[in-house]
Amino acid sequence: MRRPTRIRLLAIFAVVVLAAPTTWLRTPPAEDFRPILEITPVEIGRDRIGELAIEGVWELRSTNSHFGGYSALLALPDGRLLAASDRGRFLRFAPPSAAPSVPEFGAIGGEATENKHAVDAEALASDPAADRIWVAYEGRNSIVRFGPTLVEGESVSPPAMRRWSSNGGPEGLARLPDGRFLVLQEGRPDWSEQRHEALLFPGDPVEGAAPVEFRYAPPAGYRPVDAAPLPDGRVLILHRAVTLGLPYAFAVRIAVADPEEIRADEVWRGREIGAIAAPLPADNFEGIAAVPRADGSVTVWLISDDNNAVLQRTLLYRLRWTP
């Protein structure tokens, strides 16, 4: 190998290593479980992305040892948001538009562990009253149904999910208004067209319902990372792309899709309604939640996973979409 070629390859390798999201991790502080959450506005230079109006962007910070790494988001009936992390932790908090309340931090299942493979929560769903909350775990390709305290749960590993990669399993989970459940795999797309395995359960997957199996095609270069149901039966789907570099960059696209168009063994697609990328505040957004408004529009919340990295932040977006 010629020396210039070797040097170029080493340089490329160095960029990839330095740009990995797990590089430059923060040093873990001493354990702190105080219910402290700072929500600070972030300056933005525009007020729309596609069909969505930007109503605010905030950065979340906390010294609480459970904080960070949020990869799923759920809107609760009382106006609060529930975020779940890939470390198996949760945060219930009042966003800027809700009545103030003390944030609640904890471990899903009641006991904290650093075994990420066992507790990597990537998606959330709930019934209308949030009396039952479903958590999708990527590492073990399972879905667990909890009560509202998120302590004791019932687990299922659907046969259709057992062949999914342990690092590319269920990333999107949505309980539709009619009681069906949608599950989207992050997966590893093929080289011809990105198609991710997906399931549509006729009822609660924990009860053993057999799903319709199909494939989902996200925007080119993106992967589905979360989903949120809409009152009319459609779903919002959050997609993320990562560009390696110094620094690495994230981009997001949001699409709306109709589950009534799902057919067994066929490809399902959505329609893009908005995108987030630099110069807007952009990070590793992995959680989306939708809240209907009285005027027929929808509040869309997004939360980012900071990967516990010094170059990343936990950002919260509030968007408004009129279907």
Side-chain angles (χ1 to χ4, degrees):
M1 181 182 294
R2 292 179 300 171
R3 181 177 178 82
T5 302
R6 183 184 297 113
I7 292 174
R8 283 196 297 271
L9 290 176
L10 289 173
I12 292 171
F13 176 76
V15 168
V16 170
V17 170
L18 291 173
T22 54
T23 305
W24 301 320
L25 297 180
R26 300 187 185 99
T27 301
E31 285 196 343
D32 182 350
F33 297 108
R34 293 174 296 167
I36 296 174
L37 181 65
E38 298 177 7
I39 303 180
T40 306
V42 175
E43 293 289 336
I44 55 175
R46 55 194 290 190
D47 59 5
R48 293 197 68 84
I49 51 167
E51 299 179 20
L52 298 135
I54 303 175
E55 295 190 327
V57 183
W58 298 266
E59 181 177 358
L60 276 55
R61 296 190 186 96
S62 178
T63 56
N64 191 290
S65 297
H66 290 307
F67 179 79
Y70 297 117
S71 51
L73 193 64
L74 183 66
L76 300 175
D78 62 5
R80 293 184 299 169
L81 295 174
L82 172 65
S85 79
D86 50 20
R87 295 169 56 228
R89 317 299 170 90
F90 72 83
L91 166 63
R92 283 192 187 92
F93 68 103
S97 61
S101 66
V102 178
E104 299 176 22
F105 296 86
I108 302 173
E111 185 175 347
T113 174
E114 296 304 324
N115 181 3
K116 186 176 184 294
H117 178 81
V119 297
D120 188 356
E122 293 290 340
L124 294 167
S126 71
D127 59 22
D131 291 329
R132 293 176 296 173
I133 296 174
W134 289 262
V135 182
Y137 288 94
E138 181 182 49
R140 61 189 202 229
N141 289 324
S142 66
I143 298 172
V144 181
R145 183 181 63 200
F146 290 94
T149 61
L150 293 172
V151 175
E152 296 182 359
E154 301 171 83
S155 178
V156 64
S157 296
M161 289 168 49
R162 290 174 186 167
R163 64 179 180 272
W164 292 3
S165 165
S166 62
N167 194 35
E171 281 274 335
L173 177 68
R175 182 186 184 276
L176 305 181
D178 61 9
R180 292 181 295 171
F181 280 75
L182 174 70
V183 183
L184 300 177
Q185 175 207 37
E186 180 185 20
R188 296 177 179 176
D190 60 36
W191 293 106
S192 59
E193 182 179 2
Q194 290 182 312
R195 298 177 180 179
H196 301 251
E197 293 188 56
L199 306 172
L200 182 63
F201 289 88
D204 185 348
V206 177
E207 300 295 337
V212 173
E213 299 184 42
F214 63 103
R215 290 167 294 162
Y216 174 69
Y222 288 75
R223 296 189 180 191
V225 291
D226 204 7
L230 294 169
D232 63 8
R234 294 182 295 170
V235 293
L236 294 177
I237 302 175
L238 179 66
H239 310 83
R240 179 208 58 214
V242 182
T243 302
L244 295 180
L246 289 176
Y248 44 87
F250 298 94
V252 166
R253 291 191 179 185
I254 303 169
V256 61
D258 189 350
E260 295 307 314
E261 299 175 356
I262 292 172
R263 300 291 183 270
D265 301 320
E266 295 187 7
V267 178
W268 185 50
R269 291 178 171 85
R271 179 181 67 83
E272 185 178 330
I273 61 172
I276 297 174
L280 282 171
D283 213 293
N284 184 30
F285 286 100
E286 291 198 11
I288 185 171
V291 182
R293 297 188 182 187
D295 63 0
S297 64
V298 178
T299 297
V300 181
W301 294 102
L302 304 179
I303 196 168
S304 67
D305 174 0
D306 67 356
N307 288 307
N308 198 34
V310 296
L311 296 182
Q312 292 182 243
R313 298 181 289 176
T314 300
L315 294 177
L316 182 72
Y317 263 77
R318 186 175 71 206
L319 309 169
R320 182 174 182 172
W321 180 56
T322 302

